[in-house]
Amino acid sequence: MRAESLPRAESPAVARRVSRAPAGVRLTAAQAAQLFLGAQGLLEDPRRPATKAALSKLIHGLGFVQLDTINVLARAHDLTLFSRLHGYKPKHLAALVERDRVLFEHWTHDASLIPVVWYAHWKPRFRMSAQRLQDRAWWAQHLGADGERVVDHVRERIRREGPLRSADFLHEKKRGEWWGWTPQKAALEYLWRCGELAVARRVHFHKVYDLAERVLPEPSARPDPDPDSHVEWVCAGAAERLAVFTSRELAAFWNDLGTVDAAGATAWCEKALKEGRLVPVTVPGADGSEPRPAWVLADWKACLTRLDRTAESLEGMRFLSPFDPVIRDRARCLRRFGFDYRFEAYVPETKRVFGYYVLPILEGDRLVGRVDLKLHRDRGVLEVKGLWWESGINATAARKRKLRAALERLATFVDAVDVQNDKERVATDGHSGTGP
């Protein structure tokens, strides 16, 4: 199936027409935020039993969980899952990926773990990735003039020898200039992006590749989804996990390289409106921005009633990973929560406003502050390098007790024996915090 064959809206004018259409329902910013948090699993009781089945259900509910190499505190995926399931055990996740094969690793906005039941919906993406990598300068830059020969050689070695890491090819050719990549490492990445290889497991967070047909024999053999069912899966799945959204946000949820674009998502929304599955709304920004047209799931009232009860029963605070899906879209985070977040690990130290690895603090259904944390593994100490409350949030004794409990809970999760927190002199304005 070629990506161009997927149905789209008649023209971009459709998207513009819908974006200007009056909505019959006006949600408050708080309602929109609550619906979004509920759809993202952050209004469930995190103290529920953390079985392997519960973990699988959680990831299905999220749609995917993003991976990242930074380990100053814990891996991003572990923090994302721990924030929603306090008894989460990384060994359960490893079992779901490496033994049970109910999750597979591939690309969304970045490397992510995805339920394998959806593997067929990545097949259009595999082909689009292959074409894009071949057509762009990436191929020539990383694989060179002998690119096809290198790819064939890497493929054949894995077919013959079994699972291999990029390190298994280092003796074959000196390192390249781009991030230390060799042509062989680039070939592995290319074959993985194209779906020929799969990640069988990770060792010290390094991918171990094997043929997809050996890692995931049954999913690899499944036929491609037909174009209509693929569009339905992309849009309906995104709608369920966003609850309140624009057409553009819907199309971007899986970041599926354009298999459904904003115009196509708008066409799906119009169809879902006629079928009674969506309602057009306007939503003001929590940051004070003007109300914007959007879509909401048709059962939003019942969802809010249920979420109101759930939110009231939640106690305590939790920390969100910098790669949490709730804050991944920085503009949406600002609009939904009035929370202006920037991940500063890649910002020069002298230009950072807050710190290297700052986590938003979630209290109930509000983002109330941020904290810069570092784990000193050699000493077993979780250090609070900086702490800032949002404007209008008072650092009351009760709030500090909640923070301490959340820090101690996180310390236990990351195997720290002590929490070092001398940042009691905290600001009420996130942009003028005392910091480290």
Side-chain angles (χ1 to χ4, degrees), residues 318-344:
R318 27 190 166 166
F319 309 116
L320 301 186
S321 160
F323 301 93
D324 194 284
V326 165
I327 62 171
R328 185 200 60 77
D329 184 330
R330 310 305 191 209
R332 181 176 61 208
C333 182
L334 179 61
R335 193 171 68 252
R336 284 278 175 270
F337 304 101
F339 192 83
D340 191 1
Y341 181 77
R342 183 184 186 192
F343 184 50
E344 297 183 304

PDB file of all heavy atoms in Angstrom, residues 318-344:
ATOM      1  N   ARG A 318       3.162  13.642  42.188  1.00  0.00           N
ATOM      2  CA  ARG A 318       4.024  12.771  41.403  1.00  0.00           C
ATOM      3  C   ARG A 318       4.782  13.618  40.393  1.00  0.00           C
ATOM      4  O   ARG A 318       4.383  14.733  40.061  1.00  0.00           O
ATOM      5  CB  ARG A 318       3.252  11.654  40.726  1.00  0.00           C
ATOM      6  CG  ARG A 318       1.802  11.938  40.419  1.00  0.00           C
ATOM      7  CD  ARG A 318       1.084  10.685  39.987  1.00  0.00           C
ATOM      8  NE  ARG A 318      -0.355  10.854  40.002  1.00  0.00           N
ATOM      9  CZ  ARG A 318      -1.192  10.021  39.422  1.00  0.00           C
ATOM     10  NH1 ARG A 318      -0.734   8.984  38.759  1.00  0.00           N
ATOM     11  NH2 ARG A 318      -2.489  10.222  39.490  1.00  0.00           N
ATOM     12  N   PHE A 319       5.885  13.071  39.945  1.00  0.00           N
ATOM     13  CA  PHE A 319       6.766  13.783  39.028  1.00  0.00           C
ATOM     14  C   PHE A 319       6.630  13.195  37.632  1.00  0.00           C
ATOM     15  O   PHE A 319       6.618  11.975  37.470  1.00  0.00           O
ATOM     16  CB  PHE A 319       8.217  13.673  39.501  1.00  0.00           C
ATOM     17  CG  PHE A 319       8.409  14.054  40.941  1.00  0.00           C
ATOM     18  CD1 PHE A 319       8.833  13.121  41.875  1.00  0.00           C
ATOM     19  CD2 PHE A 319       8.152  15.350  41.367  1.00  0.00           C
ATOM     20  CE1 PHE A 319       9.006  13.466  43.201  1.00  0.00           C
ATOM     21  CE2 PHE A 319       8.323  15.712  42.688  1.00  0.00           C
ATOM     22  CZ  PHE A 319       8.745  14.767  43.623  1.00  0.00           C
ATOM     23  N   LEU A 320       6.556  14.071  36.641  1.00  0.00           N
ATOM     24  CA  LEU A 320       6.428  13.631  35.262  1.00  0.00           C
ATOM     25  C   LEU A 320       7.785  13.650  34.578  1.00  0.00           C
ATOM     26  O   LEU A 320       8.565  14.593  34.726  1.00  0.00           O
ATOM     27  CB  LEU A 320       5.462  14.532  34.489  1.00  0.00           C
ATOM     28  CG  LEU A 320       4.028  14.627  35.028  1.00  0.00           C
ATOM     29  CD1 LEU A 320       3.170  15.430  34.057  1.00  0.00           C
ATOM     30  CD2 LEU A 320       3.425  13.255  35.276  1.00  0.00           C
ATOM     31  N   SER A 321       8.047  12.618  33.813  1.00  0.00           N
ATOM     32  CA  SER A 321       9.265  12.568  33.012  1.00  0.00           C
ATOM     33  C   SER A 321       9.271  13.730  32.023  1.00  0.00           C
ATOM     34  O   SER A 321       8.219  14.144  31.519  1.00  0.00           O
ATOM     35  CB  SER A 321       9.321  11.245  32.238  1.00  0.00           C
ATOM     36  OG  SER A 321      10.199  11.329  31.133  1.00  0.00           O
ATOM     37  N   PRO A 322      10.444  14.278  31.700  1.00  0.00           N
ATOM     38  CA  PRO A 322      10.508  15.303  30.644  1.00  0.00           C
ATOM     39  C   PRO A 322       9.990  14.798  29.304  1.00  0.00           C
ATOM     40  O   PRO A 322       9.694  15.607  28.414  1.00  0.00           O
ATOM     41  CB  PRO A 322      12.010  15.624  30.566  1.00  0.00           C
ATOM     42  CG  PRO A 322      12.543  15.277  31.920  1.00  0.00           C
ATOM     43  CD  PRO A 322      11.753  14.070  32.341  1.00  0.00           C
ATOM     44  N   PHE A 323       9.878  13.465  29.152  1.00  0.00           N
ATOM     45  CA  PHE A 323       9.394  12.880  27.905  1.00  0.00           C
ATOM     46  C   PHE A 323       7.978  12.326  28.058  1.00  0.00           C
ATOM     47  O   PHE A 323       7.512  11.548  27.221  1.00  0.00           O
ATOM     48  CB  PHE A 323      10.356  11.776  27.447  1.00  0.00           C
ATOM     49  CG  PHE A 323      11.758  12.272  27.227  1.00  0.00           C
ATOM     50  CD1 PHE A 323      12.700  12.208  28.240  1.00  0.00           C
ATOM     51  CD2 PHE A 323      12.129  12.831  26.014  1.00  0.00           C
ATOM     52  CE1 PHE A 323      13.990  12.685  28.051  1.00  0.00           C
ATOM     53  CE2 PHE A 323      13.418  13.313  25.819  1.00  0.00           C
ATOM     54  CZ  PHE A 323      14.352  13.238  26.840  1.00  0.00           C
ATOM     55  N   ASP A 324       7.299  12.714  29.122  1.00  0.00           N
ATOM     56  CA  ASP A 324       5.932  12.253  29.336  1.00  0.00           C
ATOM     57  C   ASP A 324       5.040  12.759  28.201  1.00  0.00           C
ATOM     58  O   ASP A 324       5.175  13.907  27.756  1.00  0.00           O
ATOM     59  CB  ASP A 324       5.405  12.765  30.673  1.00  0.00           C
ATOM     60  CG  ASP A 324       4.139  12.061  31.115  1.00  0.00           C
ATOM     61  OD1 ASP A 324       3.054  12.360  30.552  1.00  0.00           O
ATOM     62  OD2 ASP A 324       4.223  11.204  32.000  1.00  0.00           O
ATOM     63  N   PRO A 325       4.112  11.924  27.715  1.00  0.00           N
ATOM     64  CA  PRO A 325       3.242  12.373  26.616  1.00  0.00           C
ATOM     65  C   PRO A 325       2.383  13.581  26.959  1.00  0.00           C
ATOM     66  O   PRO A 325       1.965  14.320  26.061  1.00  0.00           O
ATOM     67  CB  PRO A 325       2.383  11.141  26.322  1.00  0.00           C
ATOM     68  CG  PRO A 325       2.498  10.266  27.525  1.00  0.00           C
ATOM     69  CD  PRO A 325       3.863  10.517  28.085  1.00  0.00           C
ATOM     70  N   VAL A 326       2.135  13.831  28.234  1.00  0.00           N
ATOM     71  CA  VAL A 326       1.327  14.988  28.614  1.00  0.00           C
ATOM     72  C   VAL A 326       2.059  16.296  28.329  1.00  0.00           C
ATOM     73  O   VAL A 326       1.444  17.311  28.002  1.00  0.00           O
ATOM     74  CB  VAL A 326       0.934  14.893  30.108  1.00  0.00           C
ATOM     75  CG1 VAL A 326       0.417  16.221  30.635  1.00  0.00           C
ATOM     76  CG2 VAL A 326      -0.141  13.821  30.292  1.00  0.00           C
ATOM     77  N   ILE A 327       3.387  16.292  28.424  1.00  0.00           N
ATOM     78  CA  ILE A 327       4.128  17.541  28.221  1.00  0.00           C
ATOM     79  C   ILE A 327       4.978  17.523  26.958  1.00  0.00           C
ATOM     80  O   ILE A 327       5.705  18.481  26.696  1.00  0.00           O
ATOM     81  CB  ILE A 327       5.012  17.865  29.446  1.00  0.00           C
ATOM     82  CG1 ILE A 327       6.063  16.762  29.664  1.00  0.00           C
ATOM     83  CG2 ILE A 327       4.166  18.070  30.669  1.00  0.00           C
ATOM     84  CD1 ILE A 327       7.089  17.136  30.712  1.00  0.00           C
ATOM     85  N   ARG A 328       4.920  16.447  26.180  1.00  0.00           N
ATOM     86  CA  ARG A 328       5.760  16.346  24.990  1.00  0.00           C
ATOM     87  C   ARG A 328       5.514  17.501  24.036  1.00  0.00           C
ATOM     88  O   ARG A 328       6.443  18.100  23.500  1.00  0.00           O
ATOM     89  CB  ARG A 328       5.498  15.013  24.273  1.00  0.00           C
ATOM     90  CG  ARG A 328       6.427  14.775  23.083  1.00  0.00           C
ATOM     91  CD  ARG A 328       5.854  13.753  22.140  1.00  0.00           C
ATOM     92  NE  ARG A 328       4.575  14.164  21.601  1.00  0.00           N
ATOM     93  CZ  ARG A 328       4.439  15.070  20.638  1.00  0.00           C
ATOM     94  NH1 ARG A 328       5.488  15.672  20.128  1.00  0.00           N
ATOM     95  NH2 ARG A 328       3.244  15.391  20.206  1.00  0.00           N
ATOM     96  N   ASP A 329       4.244  17.844  23.790  1.00  0.00           N
ATOM     97  CA  ASP A 329       3.892  18.983  22.955  1.00  0.00           C
ATOM     98  C   ASP A 329       3.893  20.219  23.852  1.00  0.00           C
ATOM     99  O   ASP A 329       2.956  20.452  24.615  1.00  0.00           O
ATOM    100  CB  ASP A 329       2.510  18.751  22.327  1.00  0.00           C
ATOM    101  CG  ASP A 329       2.097  19.850  21.357  1.00  0.00           C
ATOM    102  OD1 ASP A 329       2.514  21.004  21.544  1.00  0.00           O
ATOM    103  OD2 ASP A 329       1.339  19.548  20.411  1.00  0.00           O
ATOM    104  N   ARG A 330       4.974  21.007  23.789  1.00  0.00           N
ATOM    105  CA  ARG A 330       5.147  22.126  24.724  1.00  0.00           C
ATOM    106  C   ARG A 330       4.060  23.187  24.558  1.00  0.00           C
ATOM    107  O   ARG A 330       3.584  23.771  25.541  1.00  0.00           O
ATOM    108  CB  ARG A 330       6.521  22.767  24.537  1.00  0.00           C
ATOM    109  CG  ARG A 330       7.697  21.813  24.519  1.00  0.00           C
ATOM    110  CD  ARG A 330       7.789  20.917  25.729  1.00  0.00           C
ATOM    111  NE  ARG A 330       9.078  20.221  25.756  1.00  0.00           N
ATOM    112  CZ  ARG A 330       9.265  19.038  26.296  1.00  0.00           C
ATOM    113  NH1 ARG A 330       8.250  18.396  26.872  1.00  0.00           N
ATOM    114  NH2 ARG A 330      10.454  18.455  26.293  1.00  0.00           N
ATOM    115  N   ALA A 331       3.660  23.454  23.315  1.00  0.00           N
ATOM    116  CA  ALA A 331       2.616  24.457  23.083  1.00  0.00           C
ATOM    117  C   ALA A 331       1.293  23.993  23.683  1.00  0.00           C
ATOM    118  O   ALA A 331       0.558  24.782  24.298  1.00  0.00           O
ATOM    119  CB  ALA A 331       2.468  24.728  21.591  1.00  0.00           C
ATOM    120  N   ARG A 332       0.973  22.717  23.512  1.00  0.00           N
ATOM    121  CA  ARG A 332      -0.275  22.196  24.085  1.00  0.00           C
ATOM    122  C   ARG A 332      -0.205  22.211  25.606  1.00  0.00           C
ATOM    123  O   ARG A 332      -1.199  22.501  26.282  1.00  0.00           O
ATOM    124  CB  ARG A 332      -0.529  20.776  23.576  1.00  0.00           C
ATOM    125  CG  ARG A 332      -1.833  20.164  24.109  1.00  0.00           C
ATOM    126  CD  ARG A 332      -2.086  18.806  23.493  1.00  0.00           C
ATOM    127  NE  ARG A 332      -1.008  17.875  23.813  1.00  0.00           N
ATOM    128  CZ  ARG A 332      -0.657  16.848  23.034  1.00  0.00           C
ATOM    129  NH1 ARG A 332      -1.293  16.625  21.897  1.00  0.00           N
ATOM    130  NH2 ARG A 332       0.331  16.042  23.383  1.00  0.00           N
ATOM    131  N   CYS A 333       0.946  21.893  26.166  1.00  0.00           N
ATOM    132  CA  CYS A 333       1.109  21.911  27.617  1.00  0.00           C
ATOM    133  C   CYS A 333       0.847  23.305  28.170  1.00  0.00           C
ATOM    134  O   CYS A 333       0.173  23.474  29.192  1.00  0.00           O
ATOM    135  CB  CYS A 333       2.522  21.437  27.979  1.00  0.00           C
ATOM    136  SG  CYS A 333       2.855  21.349  29.745  1.00  0.00           S
ATOM    137  N   LEU A 334       1.358  24.317  27.499  1.00  0.00           N
ATOM    138  CA  LEU A 334       1.133  25.693  27.931  1.00  0.00           C
ATOM    139  C   LEU A 334      -0.338  26.052  27.830  1.00  0.00           C
ATOM    140  O   LEU A 334      -0.915  26.677  28.734  1.00  0.00           O
ATOM    141  CB  LEU A 334       1.980  26.642  27.082  1.00  0.00           C
ATOM    142  CG  LEU A 334       1.851  28.133  27.392  1.00  0.00           C
ATOM    143  CD1 LEU A 334       2.277  28.433  28.822  1.00  0.00           C
ATOM    144  CD2 LEU A 334       2.681  28.947  26.404  1.00  0.00           C
ATOM    145  N   ARG A 335      -0.962  25.658  26.743  1.00  0.00           N
ATOM    146  CA  ARG A 335      -2.369  25.992  26.522  1.00  0.00           C
ATOM    147  C   ARG A 335      -3.279  25.229  27.483  1.00  0.00           C
ATOM    148  O   ARG A 335      -4.241  25.795  28.015  1.00  0.00           O
ATOM    149  CB  ARG A 335      -2.733  25.669  25.067  1.00  0.00           C
ATOM    150  CG  ARG A 335      -4.058  26.255  24.621  1.00  0.00           C
ATOM    151  CD  ARG A 335      -4.249  26.098  23.126  1.00  0.00           C
ATOM    152  NE  ARG A 335      -4.415  24.708  22.710  1.00  0.00           N
ATOM    153  CZ  ARG A 335      -3.503  23.991  22.050  1.00  0.00           C
ATOM    154  NH1 ARG A 335      -2.344  24.550  21.728  1.00  0.00           N
ATOM    155  NH2 ARG A 335      -3.743  22.746  21.704  1.00  0.00           N
ATOM    156  N   ARG A 336      -3.004  23.952  27.717  1.00  0.00           N
ATOM    157  CA  ARG A 336      -3.873  23.138  28.570  1.00  0.00           C
ATOM    158  C   ARG A 336      -3.699  23.451  30.055  1.00  0.00           C
ATOM    159  O   ARG A 336      -4.658  23.461  30.827  1.00  0.00           O
ATOM    160  CB  ARG A 336      -3.584  21.645  28.360  1.00  0.00           C
ATOM    161  CG  ARG A 336      -4.147  21.069  27.090  1.00  0.00           C
ATOM    162  CD  ARG A 336      -5.632  20.714  27.243  1.00  0.00           C
ATOM    163  NE  ARG A 336      -6.135  20.278  25.947  1.00  0.00           N
ATOM    164  CZ  ARG A 336      -6.659  21.079  25.037  1.00  0.00           C
ATOM    165  NH1 ARG A 336      -6.759  22.374  25.296  1.00  0.00           N
ATOM    166  NH2 ARG A 336      -7.092  20.616  23.895  1.00  0.00           N
ATOM    167  N   PHE A 337      -2.435  23.678  30.471  1.00  0.00           N
ATOM    168  CA  PHE A 337      -2.155  23.775  31.903  1.00  0.00           C
ATOM    169  C   PHE A 337      -1.565  25.118  32.333  1.00  0.00           C
ATOM    170  O   PHE A 337      -1.345  25.328  33.525  1.00  0.00           O
ATOM    171  CB  PHE A 337      -1.179  22.655  32.309  1.00  0.00           C
ATOM    172  CG  PHE A 337      -1.660  21.281  31.973  1.00  0.00           C
ATOM    173  CD1 PHE A 337      -1.170  20.616  30.853  1.00  0.00           C
ATOM    174  CD2 PHE A 337      -2.611  20.650  32.760  1.00  0.00           C
ATOM    175  CE1 PHE A 337      -1.613  19.343  30.530  1.00  0.00           C
ATOM    176  CE2 PHE A 337      -3.059  19.381  32.446  1.00  0.00           C
ATOM    177  CZ  PHE A 337      -2.568  18.732  31.321  1.00  0.00           C
ATOM    178  N   GLY A 338      -1.276  26.004  31.370  1.00  0.00           N
ATOM    179  CA  GLY A 338      -0.604  27.240  31.728  1.00  0.00           C
ATOM    180  C   GLY A 338       0.807  26.979  32.224  1.00  0.00           C
ATOM    181  O   GLY A 338       1.372  27.789  32.969  1.00  0.00           O
ATOM    182  N   PHE A 339       1.391  25.872  31.816  1.00  0.00           N
ATOM    183  CA  PHE A 339       2.699  25.440  32.304  1.00  0.00           C
ATOM    184  C   PHE A 339       3.700  25.548  31.160  1.00  0.00           C
ATOM    185  O   PHE A 339       3.605  24.826  30.163  1.00  0.00           O
ATOM    186  CB  PHE A 339       2.601  23.992  32.797  1.00  0.00           C
ATOM    187  CG  PHE A 339       3.797  23.520  33.586  1.00  0.00           C
ATOM    188  CD1 PHE A 339       3.901  23.804  34.936  1.00  0.00           C
ATOM    189  CD2 PHE A 339       4.795  22.774  32.980  1.00  0.00           C
ATOM    190  CE1 PHE A 339       4.992  23.360  35.674  1.00  0.00           C
ATOM    191  CE2 PHE A 339       5.884  22.329  33.701  1.00  0.00           C
ATOM    192  CZ  PHE A 339       5.988  22.626  35.059  1.00  0.00           C
ATOM    193  N   ASP A 340       4.638  26.469  31.303  1.00  0.00           N
ATOM    194  CA  ASP A 340       5.625  26.741  30.253  1.00  0.00           C
ATOM    195  C   ASP A 340       6.864  25.894  30.523  1.00  0.00           C
ATOM    196  O   ASP A 340       7.660  26.209  31.411  1.00  0.00           O
ATOM    197  CB  ASP A 340       5.968  28.230  30.258  1.00  0.00           C
ATOM    198  CG  ASP A 340       6.770  28.640  29.032  1.00  0.00           C
ATOM    199  OD1 ASP A 340       7.035  27.774  28.166  1.00  0.00           O
ATOM    200  OD2 ASP A 340       7.141  29.826  28.938  1.00  0.00           O
ATOM    201  N   TYR A 341       7.023  24.820  29.764  1.00  0.00           N
ATOM    202  CA  TYR A 341       8.096  23.858  30.046  1.00  0.00           C
ATOM    203  C   TYR A 341       9.071  23.766  28.881  1.00  0.00           C
ATOM    204  O   TYR A 341       8.672  23.731  27.716  1.00  0.00           O
ATOM    205  CB  TYR A 341       7.507  22.464  30.312  1.00  0.00           C
ATOM    206  CG  TYR A 341       8.568  21.437  30.631  1.00  0.00           C
ATOM    207  CD1 TYR A 341       9.153  21.416  31.898  1.00  0.00           C
ATOM    208  CD2 TYR A 341       8.991  20.516  29.679  1.00  0.00           C
ATOM    209  CE1 TYR A 341      10.140  20.489  32.205  1.00  0.00           C
ATOM    210  CE2 TYR A 341       9.984  19.594  29.977  1.00  0.00           C
ATOM    211  CZ  TYR A 341      10.550  19.580  31.240  1.00  0.00           C
ATOM    212  OH  TYR A 341      11.533  18.669  31.535  1.00  0.00           O
ATOM    213  N   ARG A 342      10.345  23.730  29.240  1.00  0.00           N
ATOM    214  CA  ARG A 342      11.403  23.514  28.259  1.00  0.00           C
ATOM    215  C   ARG A 342      12.401  22.524  28.847  1.00  0.00           C
ATOM    216  O   ARG A 342      12.841  22.677  29.993  1.00  0.00           O
ATOM    217  CB  ARG A 342      12.112  24.831  27.933  1.00  0.00           C
ATOM    218  CG  ARG A 342      13.188  24.695  26.852  1.00  0.00           C
ATOM    219  CD  ARG A 342      13.916  26.018  26.656  1.00  0.00           C
ATOM    220  NE  ARG A 342      14.844  25.950  25.525  1.00  0.00           N
ATOM    221  CZ  ARG A 342      15.776  26.867  25.264  1.00  0.00           C
ATOM    222  NH1 ARG A 342      15.873  27.923  26.053  1.00  0.00           N
ATOM    223  NH2 ARG A 342      16.571  26.737  24.232  1.00  0.00           N
ATOM    224  N   PHE A 343      12.745  21.515  28.077  1.00  0.00           N
ATOM    225  CA  PHE A 343      13.733  20.536  28.513  1.00  0.00           C
ATOM    226  C   PHE A 343      15.115  21.114  28.233  1.00  0.00           C
ATOM    227  O   PHE A 343      15.477  21.366  27.091  1.00  0.00           O
ATOM    228  CB  PHE A 343      13.515  19.221  27.761  1.00  0.00           C
ATOM    229  CG  PHE A 343      14.429  18.119  28.208  1.00  0.00           C
ATOM    230  CD1 PHE A 343      14.569  17.809  29.554  1.00  0.00           C
ATOM    231  CD2 PHE A 343      15.148  17.379  27.278  1.00  0.00           C
ATOM    232  CE1 PHE A 343      15.407  16.786  29.966  1.00  0.00           C
ATOM    233  CE2 PHE A 343      15.980  16.349  27.680  1.00  0.00           C
ATOM    234  CZ  PHE A 343      16.112  16.050  29.023  1.00  0.00           C
ATOM    235  N   GLU A 344      15.895  21.327  29.302  1.00  0.00           N
ATOM    236  CA  GLU A 344      17.123  22.095  29.167  1.00  0.00           C
ATOM    237  C   GLU A 344      18.402  21.262  29.194  1.00  0.00           C
ATOM    238  O   GLU A 344      19.501  21.819  29.283  1.00  0.00           O
ATOM    239  CB  GLU A 344      17.184  23.152  30.271  1.00  0.00           C
ATOM    240  CG  GLU A 344      16.054  24.170  30.164  1.00  0.00           C
ATOM    241  CD  GLU A 344      16.145  25.259  31.218  1.00  0.00           C
ATOM    242  OE1 GLU A 344      16.191  24.908  32.419  1.00  0.00           O
ATOM    243  OE2 GLU A 344      16.172  26.436  30.837  1.00  0.00           O
TER     244      GLU A 344
END
